[in-house]
Amino acid sequence: MAGRFIFDASATLALGAGSPSLSHLVHEAALSDDLRLFVPAASLLEADTLRTGVAEHVGMLDVLDVVALDFAAVAWCGARVRAGATAGVAHAAYLARPSVDWPDGRPVITRDPGDYKGMAGVRTIPLR
């Protein structure tokens, strides 16, 4: 399996709660050089705020790359937060957009695809 995926706060919470599909994806990523999984730091903070210990759980999984906020991310995310998005959704959307490093972008795995409505270039994968 190949791909690049972003776990937002809702997906991170689902993983921490034992989601079989996300656990399988993490397992597949551990076996593959072509499957990469990312967790935006702001999404991880949001998830850990809602369920203590999620950050430690994610931190133990080497295949989940926690992506820090840099200046460009803060500037872009700030506008989305002022427009009503959570910081976690904004950071996930920022990472999902097409960029020089990721010309096709990276889809966000989420329980709440509506949170990303109107964010140009952001693809979501609904988690059931």
Side-chain angles (χ1 to χ4, degrees):
M1 173 187 266
R4 278 80 175 118
F5 302 97
I6 296 168
F7 284 36
D8 74 356
S10 67
T12 304
L13 285 167
L15 176 65
S19 164
S21 59
L22 293 179
S23 295
H24 177 74
L25 187 60
V26 167
H27 176 73
E28 289 296 315
L31 301 175
S32 172
D33 291 332
D34 296 327
L35 178 57
R36 298 208 34 217
L37 307 175
F38 303 90
V39 180
S43 297
L44 183 57
L45 174 61
E46 188 176 306
D48 195 68
T49 300
L50 295 170
R51 185 178 305 132
T52 302
V54 170
E56 286 80 5
H57 179 72
V58 167
M60 290 188 289
L61 299 171
D62 293 339
V63 299
L64 292 174
D65 292 329
V66 177
V67 182
L69 283 159
D70 60 14
F71 175 77
V74 169
W76 191 89
C77 291
R80 275 64 196 178
V81 171
R82 287 188 294 278
T86 68
V89 165
H91 194 192
Y94 177 79
L95 296 176
R97 300 173 318 126
S99 67
V100 172
D101 292 330
W102 306 101
D104 296 326
R106 295 171 280 183
V108 177
I109 300 173
T110 182
R111 284 200 188 274
D112 306 306
D115 288 348
Y116 299 89
K117 186 177 180 182
M119 293 192 187
V122 177
R123 295 176 291 135
T124 59
I125 298 173
L127 180 62
R128 303 203 189 318

